[in-house]
Amino acid sequence: MMRTAFRSTSPRHIRDALQSLWKMCLPDMRGGDVARSLTINFIGVAREEDDYLVHDAVGRLQRRTPCRAFLLLVDDDASEITAEVTATTRVHGPKRDIVLEEIVIRMPESGFEQIPGLVRPLLMNDLPNHLFWSSDWPRVEQHFDDLSQLCDHAVVDSRCFEAPARTLERLESRRQAGQSLTDLSWLRLRPWRRALAEAFERVPWQPGAATRGKVRHGAASAATAMLLANWLRARLGAEIELDPAGDAAGTGPDRVVLQTSGCEVELVAGSRQITSHVTTPWHCYVPFKVPILRASDSDLLAAAIDLG
Amino acid sequence: MSNSTPAPTSGLNPLGDELRGARTAKPCALVIFGATGDLTKRKLVPSLMGLAKDGLLPPGFAVVGFARRAWTDASFRAELADGVRQFGRSEAQASFEALAESFTFHQADFADAAGYRELKTKLEQIDRQRGTAGNRVFYLATPPSAYSSILRNLAAAGLSKQGDGRFAHVIVEKPFGRDLQTAVALNDQLREGFYERQVFRIDHYLGKETVQNILALRFSNHIFEPLWNEKFVDHVQLTVAESIGVGSRAGYFEESGIVRDMIQNHLMQVLTLVAMEPPVALTADAVRDEKVKVLRAIRSFKPEEVERATVRAQYTRGSFGGEMVNGYREEEGVSASSVTETYAAVRLHVENWRWAGTPFFLRSGKRLPRRVTEVAIHFKQPPHMLFEGGRSLQPNVLMLRIQPEEGIALRFGAKVPGHDVRIRDVRMDFRFGTAFGGETADAYERLLLDSMLGDSTLFARRDEVEEAWRIVDSIVAGWRQSQAKPTEYVAGTWGPEVANDLLGAGRTWRRP
């Protein structure tokens, strides 16, 4: 059972607003004495019109990872920074704990400069800090840097990138420099990676063997297909062609074909599963299926935070 | 991120780490003996669907239900669908619908050899159709009286053999015998058809997250281990309390009693995890080697010691949850002159370097006020008490709550705010439900997956089972020899008063 309380406040009074919420949620306890089971600080960034992306994420996240969440909504119409504070409690046995403190900050794009100074003193100490950048890669990269410097781990979703090829390269160079980054598109590829790995249990692959392949995808899954192709190039030394003629709305590739040492691996996506066909010069295997989990973006984010 | 990992320079599967990380079993067929029973419907199949939902079932997977009833594939699936709907996790139903075709039924008598030859043919057909590659898991979800026939016939049909990359595992449900002699006989029978590494003895307690968390707490935190010994620990209390009576299990319970039903398996397993030395690795044999050393360090009781080291009792009529409930001997199916214990408390000593002189108190009972399982580590008092009134303080207690409201709590002294110096007991609480929330996988999910993966860390090994029976047999023998009747406690209370005497001066049982 949950109970949610809400307070609108100015950015300077967020801490006071939190204390007042604690009293509302847990009237038997004095303001500063409330029990909280928070395990992370979470900073989510979205455009105001896409606020559901971070709201949904936090709603899902707190079920498994209680947190203090800062939701930064960039609103071109906003003239100043405003804040709202919400607390959610969960009843467990005879007790009630606060499992989510949500601080929604609406701001114009110019407000980014003030955010680190606003957020830093409010981060719960001794907890890991995670950043979720839910939209396109920022025009002003400094905005991302300022926030990621507050955090131990950053999560992006390359599906939102308008120029995925170039941005994926930038992310890769950040990773090489030691930044802890997770891309939700990479997690979307889990069933594909698993199906390919299962298929290669049946293929007598040798390092250096010439390997060619094709990944078919739609417009919405271009970044995901690029990640898969890059992975196959790195692991197999394969030449991989991207074919953008697939299902325009699909969240992953439609079809992957690989040929190596006289063997062929073909993976085809259905609505709930990937069907894998493996043919070698000696054997035509019974097709096997790998389920495609119906994970929402919020589920993927929760998984990304577990990884981070 | 792993997409930047360099290409492996050698190895058979260049993408194989995707499989190793996923804890996904190889393709296999699961054969459930006693598939028309309650366990299959309430636990096994809903748990399989939980695994399917999390993407942890292998791509090639099939279930064959083996039972005597004249069911068909369709009626079997309909019954299971009903079970998944009632007992499955959210979305388990969708998983079942997707996998329903992989469930088939095989009607045969457990003692009929021809039925096993037909089963073998059927499994070979499934290998071809579903790619299960000759891998088998046999689950004995039957009364123990059927084990003998099933094991003998599996071996005779050649179904227990593994090799050439194929596995054949057998899962056995408790009770593993009713005393040491019958446990040895069962284990010998298992050995006739299966190697020990093929045998998975399920005690579902070991699949519980919070039981596994005992290892995590002890061996992933440096602060507890230095205190985890006789120098700092006064005593340890382990409790498995049930609020229900014997219900429909009177026939079984009359034969077993609480000491066989709870202490020999669940409580002994939890005890070994609390008392064991750190294993050299988190592998099945390394962990189980350390667990069995704990049991070996507990002496069998001499008959004359049993009365002083144990308490046994039966519940009598009393008020429970606002209504009067029958006493044990008034329950349906229970003899009016029964001496079967519904409550037992035992004082054990683990006679090794770490625990010498620190008693472990185990108790379990029916019709106690609450259903609860917990471990309470009671620390010693500080050697010198600085604070006024400090003697009235309770010693520190670390409580590991296994069910319900799973969590960990620490009791310690804190200064009461004010101008004088007064100390009061306070409690620091961690609860899994609030820290992690969400749905927790059922213990059977973890154990079914482990049995497919061939990971027997969370299953009882032969020597563990036999050592536990050695200890319990010595208690039962002492009771039998003394001829004394069990003492009594009123239903809805925490057991007989005399149980407090077992603890010794200055100690009391917790009321969890």
Side-chain angles (χ1 to χ4, degrees):
Chain A
M1 196 166 78
M2 304 281 221
R3 190 165 69 186
T4 302
F6 168 82
R7 276 276 184 278
S8 184
T9 183
S10 77
R12 278 190 302 158
H13 296 113
I14 289 174
R15 191 178 292 279
D16 297 336
L18 281 169
Q19 291 226 344
S20 127
L21 277 186
W22 296 339
K23 282 182 195 164
M24 285 172 68
C25 291
L26 306 165
D28 302 339
M29 308 186 85
R30 285 183 295 176
D33 290 344
V34 294
R36 286 169 298 179
S37 304
L38 310 183
T39 55
I40 62 165
N41 291 299
F42 175 81
I43 303 173
V45 183
R47 307 281 313 166
E48 165 73 22
E49 58 271 27
D50 298 329
D51 66 339
Y52 65 92
L53 288 172
V54 283
H55 280 300
D56 289 355
V58 165
R60 169 71 181 80
L61 199 59
Q62 56 85 9
R63 280 188 250 159
R64 187 179 160 80
T65 313
C67 55
R68 176 171 283 184
F70 300 84
L71 307 187
L72 311 180
L73 304 179
V74 182
D75 183 356
D76 292 335
D77 297 333
S79 56
E80 58 176 358
I81 299 176
T82 58
E84 290 162 6
V85 181
T86 310
T88 303
T89 62
R90 183 185 299 141
V91 173
H92 187 71
K95 296 189 178 173
R96 181 191 295 274
D97 279 352
I98 292 178
V99 292
L100 172 64
E101 292 173 339
E102 194 174 310
I103 300 161
V104 179
I105 297 172
R106 285 191 172 73
M107 59 181 194
E109 185 142 3
S110 60
F112 263 113
E113 287 174 12
Q114 294 175 51
I115 293 302
L118 177 64
V119 168
R120 192 179 288 111
L122 292 169
L123 291 169
M124 298 279 289
N125 58 350
D126 290 335
L127 297 182
N129 306 330
H130 297 266
L131 169 66
F132 175 42
W133 192 275
S134 71
S135 51
D136 187 16
W137 190 246
R139 283 173 305 210
V140 183
E141 209 162 306
Q142 189 65 38
H143 294 163
F144 182 85
D145 288 337
D146 287 345
L147 291 174
S148 62
Q149 278 166 14
L150 294 175
C151 296
D152 307 286
H153 172 230
V155 182
V156 297
D157 188 353
S158 59
R159 195 172 60 177
C160 306
F161 294 167
E162 284 176 13
R166 195 181 64 222
T167 314
L168 287 175
E169 271 180 37
R170 296 186 76 83
L171 290 180
E172 186 55 32
S173 61
R174 280 172 174 266
R175 251 180 242 118
Q176 301 282 352
Q179 188 165 13
S180 173
L181 268 169
T182 303
D183 183 349
L184 296 189
S185 291
W186 178 245
L187 302 182
R188 283 185 194 102
L189 283 171
R190 269 181 175 168
W192 289 90
R193 289 185 273 133
R194 187 175 149 202
L196 283 161
E198 288 279 359
F200 270 77
E201 288 283 292
R202 295 151 175 81
V203 173
W205 186 82
Q206 289 298 321
T211 307
R212 290 169 187 281
K214 187 184 275 192
V215 177
R216 191 175 69 191
H217 64 91
S221 57
T224 314
M226 280 178 205
L227 280 173
L228 184 64
N230 288 344
W231 180 64
L232 290 170
R233 288 176 191 128
R235 290 300 182 89
L236 306 176
E239 286 178 30
I240 304 291
E241 186 187 334
L242 289 169
D243 172 8
D247 175 11
T251 56
D254 288 359
R255 181 169 176 263
V256 175
V257 181
L258 288 170
Q259 283 131 0
T260 184
S261 309
C263 306
E264 179 169 284
V265 173
E266 183 191 25
L267 276 59
V268 181
S271 61
R272 283 184 176 175
Q273 55 204 8
I274 298 165
T275 305
S276 308
H277 304 265
V278 179
T279 313
T280 69
W282 313 277
H283 201 82
C284 180
Y285 286 91
V286 177
F288 66 87
K289 295 179 167 66
V290 170
I292 299 175
L293 300 178
R294 287 174 297 170
S296 65
D297 289 353
S298 309
D299 292 327
L300 291 175
L301 178 65
I305 282 174
D306 282 348
L307 290 173
Chain B
M1 215 161 72
S2 47
N3 54 342
S4 60
T5 312
T9 52
S10 62
L12 293 173
N13 184 345
L15 312 177
D17 53 347
E18 292 293 327
L19 300 176
R20 284 191 289 278
R23 275 182 66 78
T24 307
K26 287 183 180 175
C28 65
L30 172 68
V31 181
I32 303 174
F33 292 92
T36 54
D38 235 21
L39 183 69
T40 308
K41 181 177 174 179
R42 295 172 76 97
K43 286 287 180 190
L44 301 185
V45 175
S47 295
L48 287 172
M49 293 310 106
L51 291 174
K53 174 182 171 271
D54 292 343
L56 293 170
L57 281 186
F61 181 71
V63 174
V64 178
F66 188 119
R68 286 172 286 216
R69 288 192 206 173
W71 284 13
T72 62
D73 289 350
S75 58
F76 181 49
R77 289 170 192 160
E79 188 70 13
L80 298 183
D82 184 45
V84 170
R85 194 163 42 247
Q86 284 186 61
F87 308 110
R89 284 204 269 153
S90 55
E91 294 181 45
Q93 236 175 305
S95 302
F96 186 75
E97 282 161 21
L99 283 170
E101 277 185 15
S102 57
F103 286 75
T104 54
F105 188 75
H106 182 70
Q107 188 199 354
D109 192 283
F110 297 139
D112 177 14
Y116 292 80
R117 289 193 293 274
E118 289 159 14
L119 173 67
K120 189 177 184 188
T121 306
K122 184 168 195 154
L123 288 170
E124 285 164 355
Q125 192 183 358
I126 288 171
D127 285 342
R128 288 190 295 276
Q129 288 172 344
R130 308 201 70 88
T132 44
N135 296 316
R136 328 272 186 231
V137 177
F138 301 105
Y139 199 119
L140 274 54
T142 64
S145 55
Y147 289 177
S148 171
S149 295
I150 296 169
L151 293 168
R152 192 176 55 248
N153 281 307
L154 281 174
L159 285 164
S160 61
K161 284 193 186 132
Q162 59 178 21
D164 302 328
R166 291 177 293 117
F167 65 77
H169 298 160
V170 62
I171 304 175
V172 188
E173 271 282 339
K174 85 173 181 78
F176 314 122
R178 65 179 311 278
D179 53 26
L180 178 58
Q181 192 183 355
T182 51
V184 169
L186 171 63
N187 286 333
D188 286 346
Q189 191 144 41
L190 281 161
R191 194 172 58 184
E192 284 173 20
F194 296 88
Y195 292 105
E196 179 64 25
R197 64 175 178 276
Q198 294 175 268
V199 180
F200 294 76
R201 295 176 190 84
I202 273 202
D203 181 337
H204 72 271
Y205 254 58
L206 289 179
K208 288 181 184 291
E209 289 280 350
T210 38
V211 171
Q212 294 166 52
N213 194 52
I214 295 172
L215 290 183
L217 175 87
R218 289 192 57 197
F219 303 129
S220 71
N221 297 291
H222 204 43
I223 58 168
F224 298 114
E225 197 51 25
L227 308 178
W228 212 266
N229 56 53
E230 50 81 31
K231 285 191 182 62
F232 296 94
V233 176
D234 178 74
H235 71 282
V236 180
Q237 294 185 13
L238 296 96
T239 302
V240 176
E242 289 188 304
S243 55
I244 54 170
V246 287
S248 59
R249 294 175 73 223
Y252 163 77
F253 196 82
E254 269 286 87
E255 290 295 310
S256 67
I258 203 85
V259 76
R260 288 190 178 99
D261 193 38
M262 289 288 179
I263 293 184
Q264 188 275 338
N265 37 69
H266 302 328
L267 270 169
M268 287 289 188
Q269 285 292 333
V270 175
L271 165 69
T272 58
L273 295 173
V274 173
M276 69 191 270
E277 295 298 318
V280 291
L282 208 59
T283 59
D285 274 336
V287 171
R288 296 189 300 179
D289 284 348
E290 297 304 334
K291 284 169 65 192
V292 81
K293 281 183 202 168
V294 173
L295 297 171
R296 285 191 189 128
I298 299 171
R299 270 193 307 114
S300 302
F301 291 98
K302 293 176 186 154
E304 63 273 20
E305 293 171 334
V306 170
E307 197 155 337
R308 274 178 286 122
T310 68
V311 170
R312 61 172 172 154
Q314 282 179 339
Y315 62 83
T316 58
R317 189 172 171 75
S319 167
F320 193 93
E323 61 180 54
M324 292 304 287
V325 294
N326 283 337
Y328 178 64
R329 291 195 300 272
E330 297 156 330
E331 300 271 21
E332 198 178 326
V334 174
S335 158
S337 57
S338 171
V339 291
T340 301
E341 79 287 352
T342 62
Y343 173 99
V346 181
R347 180 177 59 230
L348 295 175
H349 285 279
V350 180
E351 296 180 3
N352 62 15
W353 194 278
R354 183 188 286 264
W355 294 117
T358 299
F360 286 75
F361 298 102
L362 281 56
R363 69 172 159 169
S364 184
K366 290 193 173 293
R367 280 279 184 236
L368 300 184
R370 300 182 62 192
R371 173 179 164 264
V372 59
T373 302
E374 68 158 38
V375 177
I377 317 287
H378 289 245
F379 289 90
K380 292 183 175 173
Q381 288 279 18
H384 173 62
M385 191 56 73
L386 279 176
F387 304 100
E388 197 179 331
R391 285 288 157 217
S392 64
L393 283 178
Q394 296 295 311
N396 299 130
V397 179
L398 181 67
M399 284 156 283
L400 316 180
R401 180 65 75 92
I402 291 167
Q403 67 179 14
E405 296 158 29
E406 297 84 348
I408 298 169
L410 179 68
R411 186 173 72 190
F412 59 97
K415 182 182 174 298
V416 179
H419 299 297
D420 52 353
V421 181
R422 283 191 297 123
I423 310 296
R424 200 176 74 192
D425 287 325
V426 293
R427 201 171 127 124
M428 197 156 66
D429 236 337
F430 155 75
R431 272 161 280 150
F432 278 88
T434 44
F436 297 113
E439 281 185 311
T440 316
D442 188 89
Y444 276 93
E445 286 187 32
R446 172 67 196 259
L447 296 172
L448 279 166
L449 178 62
D450 282 0
S451 67
M452 291 182 230
L453 289 163
D455 179 352
S456 49
T457 309
L458 300 178
F459 295 83
R461 201 168 61 187
R462 173 180 187 147
D463 48 0
E464 282 180 75
V465 171
E466 293 178 4
E467 286 292 335
W469 273 124
R470 172 184 60 76
I471 298 161
V472 164
D473 274 6
S474 72
I475 295 170
V476 174
W479 286 344
R480 197 178 298 127
Q481 190 168 314
S482 80
Q483 305 267 316
K485 286 189 175 171
T487 184
E488 293 180 341
Y489 63 103
V490 178
T493 66
W494 280 108
E497 282 298 317
V498 290
N500 276 321
D501 300 342
L502 194 68
L503 301 177
R507 298 175 183 140
T508 51
W509 283 107
R510 282 176 41 73
R511 296 180 179 219

